Amino acid sequence: MPHDLRPLQSRETVLANARLVLETETVPGCLLVRDGRIAAIDTGTTVPRGAEDLDGDLLAPGLIELHTDNLERHLEPRPGVVWPQASAILAHDAELAGCGVTTVFDALRVGSLVDAGRVGYGKYARPIATAITAMAGDGLLRLRHGIHLRAEVCSETLEAELAEFHDGDGVGIVSVMDHTPGQRQFTDIARQRTYAVGRRGLTDDEFEAHVAAMRALSARVAPRHEAAIVAAARRLGATLASHDDTTEAHVAASATHGARVAEFPTTLAAARACRAVGIAVIAGAPNLLRGGSHSGNVAARTLADAGLLDILSSDYAPASLLAAAVALGREAGDLALGLRTVTAAPADAVGLADRGRLAPGLAADLVRIRLAGNLAIARGTWVGGRRVA
């Protein structure tokens, strides 16, 4: 799989005079990297001969991103402008490396609307996944890439698109997405109207026709498509995620399906229900930094205050991941706690036991962080002991 570990560097590197972000504390120390892995950790501020002096900056595990739509933005930088695949993937990869991310699951939609006129959209996931796998195999990418299939229940082509993916495609996450109008993220139809009219330029009549068509489509296909998504996750050995759970009934269904993570639950009640059944809660880093959801759903800060925020995701803004984790840690008076939401917690949620922490034997996937006022700046990123940004 594209996110499997491979030794990337044979020489030794010592990173010294750092504040090491361990799982439960931050301590001064240095770290020895050998053959792409962490070989040893020592405490203190001594800078051995030949070591790189980090000048007191934080040294944390590399950030792990489970859900990002950033690649789609590079593939279509403006509406109707399609960018070359390889160039888009390289730009996305470089941007995340510069933000301190070392493992990313690229979110690709499966399930299209081919007969929906102005609000239709075509399939694209299979060729993009193939390109990512090939570029990673050729050593062209800086990060460890996996695939996250965002499987859209309310669509026309879902089953055929899921059938195109097999073992070896690097699919690590499959999420159950349902954007049927009037539920989950867009329970408030007025908010969905604002979104659709602003983004698609629909008239009120066109929007009403779209809502009616999508509801009719969902009534025809939803149960069958949900079952197909769950089966695909099992077949691919991927972590199953729910998306936009709103009610306790949604969470109960997610638990029955075997979901391990819940992306962006929209209410406090849904997040509490997730905690009760052992489903990890992902909240949006932009939501946390902005102080609320752009869709009017529960604020990430509310989830954090209630002790219900397990993992942060940058969603549509890569730079938000590090900033939000540090902000969360500062507010709690515990930087290690904040950074856990973007390192150990996401690693645990998808079964990546080889990264997400600073410990001997684990991957030397690292980020150097300089704190300057309210800013958290990624000043260096290493993947498998190799400096990539």
Side-chain angles (χ1 to χ4, degrees):
M1 296 174 69
H3 57 269
D4 284 347
L5 288 176
R6 295 176 295 163
L8 298 176
Q9 182 169 309
S10 59
R11 67 183 179 85
E12 290 188 348
T13 300
V14 178
L15 303 174
N17 190 21
R19 287 184 290 156
L20 303 177
V21 182
L22 306 180
E23 194 164 3
T24 60
E25 61 180 340
T26 301
V27 300
C30 68
L31 185 146
L32 170 64
V33 175
R34 183 186 299 125
D35 295 331
R37 294 182 179 272
I38 299 170
I41 294 175
D42 199 3
T43 58
T45 58
T46 301
V47 181
R49 179 178 296 178
E52 181 174 351
D53 187 347
L54 298 195
D55 197 28
D57 286 344
L58 297 171
L59 184 64
L63 311 188
I64 298 172
E65 176 58 81
L66 300 186
H67 176 115
T68 172
D69 302 336
N70 189 60
L71 177 55
E72 292 183 343
R73 178 173 64 83
H74 284 284
L75 290 166
E76 189 176 354
R78 289 188 178 181
V81 176
V82 178
W83 207 249
Q85 290 180 7
S87 294
I89 293 166
L90 288 171
H92 161 69
D93 177 70
E95 182 178 3
L96 267 65
C99 295
V101 175
T102 54
T103 295
V104 57
F105 289 83
D106 299 311
L108 305 175
R109 173 186 45 77
V110 285
S112 305
L113 294 175
V114 295
D115 296 318
R118 291 177 61 191
V119 294
Y121 40 82
K123 58 173 289 188
Y124 74 100
R126 176 67 268 178
I128 298 300
T130 298
I132 291 170
T133 300
M135 293 173 73
D138 290 340
L140 301 180
L141 302 181
R142 307 179 191 211
L143 310 185
R144 305 188 195 278
H145 286 257
I147 301 299
H148 174 169
L149 295 181
R150 300 167 60 243
E152 181 55 58
V153 169
C154 191
S155 65
E156 297 163 339
T157 63
L158 177 65
E159 290 165 295
E161 291 192 47
L162 285 172
E164 295 179 332
F165 286 87
H166 307 283
D167 290 345
D169 286 327
V171 178
I173 305 171
V174 176
S175 56
V176 184
M177 313 280 288
D178 189 351
H179 289 99
T180 303
Q183 65 171 13
R184 296 184 182 257
Q185 181 182 3
F186 289 117
T187 301
D188 185 344
I189 287 290
R191 287 185 179 273
Q192 187 167 12
R193 181 190 302 272
T194 299
Y195 177 84
V197 170
R199 181 154 187 167
R200 299 282 184 177
L202 302 183
T203 66
D204 285 344
D205 287 345
E206 288 172 331
F207 175 72
E208 293 297 339
H210 170 67
V211 168
M214 290 302 97
R215 286 175 168 171
L217 175 63
S218 180
R220 293 196 306 271
V221 304
R224 187 175 84 242
H225 280 184
E226 279 195 24
I229 295 166
V230 174
R234 290 173 180 163
R235 172 173 61 84
L236 295 168
T239 295
L240 184 69
S242 66
H243 190 83
D244 291 341
D245 286 338
T246 301
T247 67
E248 293 180 8
H250 287 158
V251 176
S254 298
T256 298
H257 292 328
R260 291 176 57 188
V261 294
E263 300 180 324
F264 319 127
T266 68
T267 64
L268 192 59
R272 285 182 174 140
C274 287
R275 177 57 53 82
V277 295
I279 297 176
V281 170
I282 299 179
N287 180 324
L288 186 92
L289 294 175
R290 294 178 66 252
S293 163
H294 72 277
S295 299
N297 298 318
V298 68
R301 205 168 293 276
T302 299
L303 296 179
D305 290 345
L308 298 172
L309 193 164
D310 299 304
I311 300 166
L312 284 168
S313 163
S314 68
D315 197 6
Y316 57 87
S320 68
L321 192 62
L322 176 59
V326 170
L328 194 63
R330 280 175 156 167
E331 290 169 12
D334 186 348
L335 283 174
L337 181 149
L339 284 162
R340 177 180 165 76
T341 64
V342 295
T343 55
D348 291 345
V350 295
L352 296 178
D354 50 20
R355 70 201 80 169
R357 295 172 172 84
L358 299 186
L362 298 190
D365 292 2
L366 312 165
V367 58
R368 175 184 179 180
I369 305 165
R370 170 70 57 87
L371 302 182
N374 291 326
L375 296 176
I377 306 163
R379 300 194 68 216
T381 305
W382 292 259
V383 176
R386 182 181 64 188
R387 180 85 178 255
V388 298

